[in-house]
């Protein structure tokens, strides 16, 4: 059998690639780099905000800067003046009718109260007069007792009990269970609280089959899935070159939290890798009508657990392989 035909799950498994395969792989690498870089450059607000989602993200980021300044042990009045002015300008430009703007305005008002007695810039004073629905913002007190009471589970056992499941029981997945899992994913850390991630979920078998057809790794078990999620991050929420990989970081945190949320609901889960060529990415995007600004992070299949299922043992390396305590500094 030639090296050209040694492929499984859509990938070459040739031990020693031919020169044609080497050239093809090299070209594919740079094509993928250009594909990702061009889309980030097209949608991120590198120089100026040019879309409503970008402005919403900037308002959330600036509001978060103000609230974490107020949450510091040695919080001092007068901090964050430039951020407050920019937030006020965005509020005046967009109005305060959206969820992001309501959070921004509520935070700005608390920041103004924190700075009572100081002279506020005219732009901030103008924004403070805007009407907006009530929104949670600012700071809150978290006690050690509250934290302990909410974390009584053995998380190590919980995490180690999750496996990649490829055998599912027939039947519909309760939509309330999915909503709770997504709510858990929303609690994942997000850079500057911009909350860029979204779970696009299908539970109709016909729609699941259309979505999963673009991912090679599920061919032997995907027909048993009770649901499939395409997890994305909005590139319009990112700002500068240093954030060029942040969508994948936030997306990974969101995706793992979603998997744990589904696991907590008693459902089986299996991540479906999305390390694909641009053509495959475009095909999925066209299938589901995904906006160009949405970066696909990963797919996640899930479904009802059967009474028993065979799963991969997937032994982990010793914890020392993933852990260094107080390593020496250079």
């Amino acid at each position: 059998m030639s090296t050209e035909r040694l492929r499984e799950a859509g990938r070459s498994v040739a031990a020693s690639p031919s020169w044609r395969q080497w050239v093809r792989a090299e070209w594919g690498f740079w094509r993928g780099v250009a594909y990702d870089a061009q889309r980030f450059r097209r949608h991120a607000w590198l120089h100026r905000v040019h879309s409503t989602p970008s402005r919403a993200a900037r308002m959330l980021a600036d509001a978060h800067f103000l609230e974490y300044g107020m949450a510091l042990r040695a919080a001092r009045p007068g901090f964050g003046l430039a951020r407050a002015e920019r937030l006020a300008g965005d509020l005046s430009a967009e109005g305060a009718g959206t969820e992001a703007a309501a959070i921004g305005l509520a935070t700005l008002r608390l920041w103004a109260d924190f700075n009572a007695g100081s002279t506020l810039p005219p732009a901030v004073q103008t924004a403070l007069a805007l009407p907006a629905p009530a929104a949670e913002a600012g700071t809150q007190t978290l006690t050690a007792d509250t934290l302990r009471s909410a974390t009584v589970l053995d998380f190590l056992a919980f995490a180690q009990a999750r496996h990649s499941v490829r055998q599912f029981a027939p039947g519909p997945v309760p939509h309330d269970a999915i909503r709770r899992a997504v709510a858990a994913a929303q609690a994942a850390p997000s850079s500057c609280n911009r909350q860029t991630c979204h779970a696009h979920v299908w539970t109709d078998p016909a729609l699941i089959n259309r979505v999963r057809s673009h991912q090679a790794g599920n061919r032997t078990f995907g027909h048993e899935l009770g649901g499939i999620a395409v997890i994305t991050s909005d590139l319009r929420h990112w700002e500068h070159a240093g954030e060029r990989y942040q969508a994948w970081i936030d997306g990974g945190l969101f995706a793992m939290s979603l998997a744990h949320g589904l696991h907590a609901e008693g459902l089986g889960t299996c991540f479906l890798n999305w390390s694909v060529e641009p053509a495959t990415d475009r095909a999925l995007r066209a299938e589901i009508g995904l906006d160009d600004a949405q970066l696909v992070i990963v797919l996640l299949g899930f479904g009802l657990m059967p009474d028993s299922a065979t799963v991969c043992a997937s032994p982990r390396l010793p914890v020392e392989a993933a852990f260094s305590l107080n390593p020496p500094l250079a």
Side-chain angles (χ1 to χ4, degrees):
M1 182 179 295
S2 71
T3 55
E4 293 290 337
R5 296 176 59 193
L6 289 173
R7 298 179 68 84
E8 290 182 356
R11 298 181 187 174
S12 172
V13 292
S16 180
S18 68
W19 70 269
R20 285 190 180 89
Q21 289 174 312
W22 188 93
V23 171
R24 188 181 301 123
E26 191 74 10
W27 168 244
F29 169 78
W30 290 111
R31 183 177 55 195
V33 168
Y35 177 71
D36 292 333
Q38 288 169 355
R39 291 184 58 233
F40 183 86
R41 175 64 185 83
R42 189 157 57 242
H43 298 292
W45 35 290
L46 293 175
H47 305 295
R48 62 181 180 84
V49 163
H50 50 78
S51 70
T52 296
S54 293
R55 192 180 298 278
R58 189 164 76 177
M59 286 191 286
L60 289 175
D62 286 345
H64 181 66
F65 182 88
L66 298 181
E67 69 179 0
Y68 88 61
M70 292 186 285
L72 294 174
R73 186 187 297 275
R76 58 177 179 80
F79 77 94
L81 184 61
R83 294 286 190 128
E85 285 191 279
R86 187 169 72 173
L87 174 58
D90 283 339
L91 286 166
S92 297
E94 287 290 317
T98 65
E99 290 87 350
I103 293 171
L105 182 54
T107 306
L108 188 65
R109 286 172 174 166
L110 291 169
W111 177 85
D113 291 341
F114 184 82
N115 288 279
S118 301
T119 301
L120 300 179
V124 173
Q125 295 176 347
T126 299
L128 291 175
L130 292 170
E136 293 185 18
T139 64
Q140 59 185 29
T141 300
L142 175 64
T143 67
D145 286 342
T146 300
L147 186 63
R148 281 191 289 267
S149 66
T151 55
V152 293
L153 80 162
D154 183 342
F155 186 76
L156 177 60
F158 172 84
Q160 291 178 336
R162 196 207 70 82
H163 293 270
S164 293
V165 175
R166 297 175 177 87
Q167 300 172 19
F168 299 92
V173 176
H175 288 184
D176 283 347
I178 301 172
R179 290 180 64 86
R180 284 192 294 270
V182 174
Q186 286 184 294
S190 172
S191 177
C192 297
N193 194 37
R194 276 176 275 187
Q195 304 176 57
T196 77
C197 296
H198 192 92
H200 311 259
V201 180
W202 294 267
T203 58
D204 180 274
L207 300 180
I208 293 172
N209 285 335
R210 287 177 58 183
V211 175
R212 74 178 185 86
S213 68
H214 298 278
Q215 201 275 342
N218 75 91
R219 291 173 181 169
T220 57
F221 67 91
H223 59 283
E224 296 188 20
L225 293 175
I228 192 169
V230 176
I231 297 162
T232 64
S233 174
D234 192 332
L235 293 173
R236 293 170 296 189
H237 290 191
W238 305 112
E239 178 181 4
H240 52 75
E243 294 184 326
R244 61 194 182 279
Y245 300 123
Q246 195 64 43
W248 283 287
I249 296 170
D250 277 31
L253 293 168
F254 183 94
M256 192 67 246
S257 296
L258 177 59
H260 276 147
L262 294 168
H263 178 50
E265 297 292 331
L267 300 169
T269 62
C270 186
F271 277 109
L272 307 175
N273 190 8
W274 197 243
S275 302
V276 298
E277 297 284 340
T280 303
D281 188 69
R282 291 190 186 99
L284 174 68
R285 306 172 71 80
E287 183 77 69
I288 66 178
L290 195 62
D291 186 276
D292 185 64
Q294 297 292 327
L295 176 71
V296 177
I297 305 298
V298 72
L299 278 60
L300 179 62
F302 58 91
L304 302 179
M305 280 295 297
D307 291 335
S308 66
T310 301
V311 298
C312 299
S314 299
R316 286 339 192 224
L317 296 171
V319 68
E320 289 76 18
F323 174 61
S324 297
L325 182 62
N326 295 325
L329 303 180

